Amino acid sequence: MRYDIVIVGGGPSGMSAALYALRENKKVLIIEKESFGGQIATSPRLENYPSIEKISGLEFADNLFSQINNLGVDFELDEVLEIVKLEEKKFLIKTNFKQYEAGAVIIANGVKHRTLNLPNEEKLIGHGISYCATCDGPFYKGEEVNIIGDANSALQYALMLESYCPKVNMYCLFDHLFGDEILQNKVLNSEKIFINYNMSLIEYIGENNLQGLVFKNTKTGEIIKINTNNVFIAIGQISDNKRFENIIKLDQGYILTNNNMETSLKGVFACGDTIKKDIRQVINACSEGSISAINAVKYLNQ
Ligand SMILES: Cc1cc2nc3c(=O)[nH]c(=O)nc-3n(C[C@H](O)[C@H](O)[C@H](O)COP(=O)(O)OP(=O)(O)OC[C@H]3O[C@@H](n4cnc5c(N)ncnc54)[C@H](O)[C@@H]3O)c2cc1C
């Protein structure tokens, strides 16, 4: 099937790109491998998007999806595996199940969760180990819960979980918190959130279900074991662009773009968390999405 623009990823940047391209009457397909909304859909609260005082990440994502759906976007739930340039303004996008043709491509595939790479980790995801407190937190309503991490995602998870869990334990690698001061203050002032500093998670206990966690105190060397059926991992994100390194230039795994969101290959644009940059926030992702679409439309109309 032939599209003017195929967008890889349905997070804030991909959906914003679609919004701008659709308003220019382009035929647009978004291919999303998991669920529309990307990372922000896993966040309990978004409080730093201009003009929206407070909204859940999921509602923000739903609103954006509905906006582009009303404009006639096509979408597929599938994973993009490869992009091939056939000729000028003719790209082949290969997914798990199909192939699509496009005049231009916008890569908006974001980042993926950083894992600890401990034995059993893969096996216990969904069986006690979670990367999303918004999605899985309610399973532990009324229970004591555990979070690994010390920055914004971990702080937001802690503040959400404390609303329905009696005790939230945060385990931090260093001796202080990172992230926005406003969130740090809320966490530090909470009577339900307990912070354990200098703790490195070294082992998951459990074969089929999580039964405990083993930590090493990085200052004293002490080994501490806790019995628990849950842990939320919020230790940041990493890029996932290896599949594109044969066609576009990367730097430390992130896609290199210029101010127009053009990559090193004409006709391929990139936006959002996947590009090489310093600030990874929804507002930037949306802005870059719009820039990539405006320039993709220009490229197609040339
Ligand atoms: C818990 C949490 C809380 C946050 N809180 C805030 C906040 O309060 N304020 C703020 O501004 N930012 C926040 N952020 C950051 C913000 O969510 C990101 O900056 C933003 O989502 C980036 O958007 P994106 O579209 O570039 O990428 P993503 O949101 O990562 O979306 C990329 C999408 O592409 C899909 N995808 C990936 N690879 C493929 C492929 N090969 N084929 C098809 N689809 C693919 C993914 O499934 C995903 O849906 C938070 C992030 C997290 C994790």
Side-chain angles (χ1 to χ4, degrees):
M1 214 175 299
R2 165 95 190 176
Y3 284 89
D4 293 322
I5 300 175
V6 166
I7 299 171
V8 183
S13 63
M15 289 200 281
S16 301
L19 175 64
Y20 274 72
L22 288 161
R23 285 168 56 86
E24 292 295 326
N25 285 328
K26 295 298 174 201
K27 193 169 160 55
V28 178
L29 170 71
I30 301 191
I31 306 173
E32 165 55 52
K33 72 171 179 173
E34 284 170 12
S35 52
F36 280 81
Q39 294 166 70
I40 201 61
T42 72
S43 172
R45 48 175 107 189
L46 175 63
E47 294 178 356
N48 55 7
Y49 196 88
S51 95
I52 304 176
E53 213 167 300
K54 192 174 184 177
I55 190 168
S56 81
L58 192 59
E59 197 184 345
F60 177 84
D62 282 351
N63 290 346
L64 189 46
F65 181 76
S66 140
Q67 198 174 4
I68 57 171
N69 201 26
N70 290 340
L71 288 171
V73 74
D74 276 5
F75 52 89
E76 286 288 343
L77 275 179
D78 200 348
E79 178 171 0
V80 172
L81 302 177
E82 197 185 351
I83 298 169
V84 181
K85 180 168 181 174
L86 300 175
E87 56 190 67
E88 197 55 39
K89 296 186 186 170
K90 196 170 179 183
F91 294 89
L92 192 66
I93 296 95
K94 297 183 181 178
T95 69
N96 267 324
F97 302 110
K98 286 187 189 165
Q99 306 205 124
Y100 303 89
E101 246 183 61
V105 184
I106 297 176
I107 303 176
N109 61 333
V111 287
K112 61 179 184 180
H113 298 296
R114 187 187 292 279
T115 64
L116 285 161
N117 280 329
L118 293 173
N120 274 358
E121 192 166 48
E122 193 83 2
K123 211 167 121 185
L124 292 172
I125 293 172
H127 301 278
I129 298 179
S130 171
Y131 292 90
C132 175
T134 313
C135 327
D136 302 331
F139 297 135
Y140 303 99
K141 195 172 181 176
E143 293 182 40
E144 186 171 334
V145 289
N146 306 289
I147 299 171
I148 310 292
D150 48 25
N152 279 345
S153 302
L155 299 172
Q156 286 177 335
Y157 283 176
L159 292 169
M160 187 196 72
L161 290 168
E162 73 154 358
S163 66
Y164 53 81
C165 295
K167 186 174 179 194
V168 179
N169 302 307
M170 284 186 76
Y171 295 93
C172 309
L173 193 54
F174 301 102
D175 59 5
H176 58 278
L177 296 174
F178 297 85
D180 297 348
E181 213 171 309
I182 191 166
L183 292 175
Q184 288 192 38
N185 288 338
K186 281 185 188 170
V187 164
L188 292 168
N189 289 326
S190 164
E191 288 181 357
K192 287 196 197 166
I193 303 172
F194 296 82
I195 307 178
N196 304 273
Y197 292 112
N198 304 312
M199 297 285 260
S200 168
L201 180 62
I202 55 170
E203 190 185 332
Y204 295 111
I205 304 170
E207 279 307 312
N208 301 316
N209 290 297
L210 184 71
Q211 290 175 340
L213 303 169
V214 182
F215 293 93
K216 184 176 184 178
N217 185 304
T218 56
K219 283 267 159 72
T220 63
E222 187 189 356
I223 302 293
I224 299 135
K225 184 181 150 188
I226 63 160
N227 295 324
T228 183
N229 64 351
N230 69 76
V231 66
F232 294 91
I233 311 287
I235 54 168
Q237 288 84 21
I238 49 170
S239 66
D240 189 17
N241 289 320
K242 216 166 167 37
R243 71 194 76 200
F244 304 127
E245 70 182 0
N246 58 331
I247 56 155
I248 50 175
K249 276 194 190 143
L250 308 180
D251 184 354
Q252 294 175 329
Y254 292 95
I255 300 174
L256 282 173
T257 58
N258 61 15
N259 289 344
N260 291 331
M261 300 299 127
E262 291 164 319
T263 68
S264 56
L265 180 62
K266 209 170 165 207
V268 176
F269 301 79
C271 52
D273 280 14
T274 192
I275 69 169
K276 172 90 178 160
K277 61 176 181 175
D278 291 332
I279 314 286
R280 293 192 165 77
Q281 290 281 283
V282 172
I283 187 168
N284 312 96
C286 294
S287 157
E288 292 150 8
S290 72
I291 296 169
S292 66
I294 290 167
N295 287 303
V297 168
K298 254 190 211 164
Y299 165 78
L300 290 172
N301 291 346
Q302 267 164 15

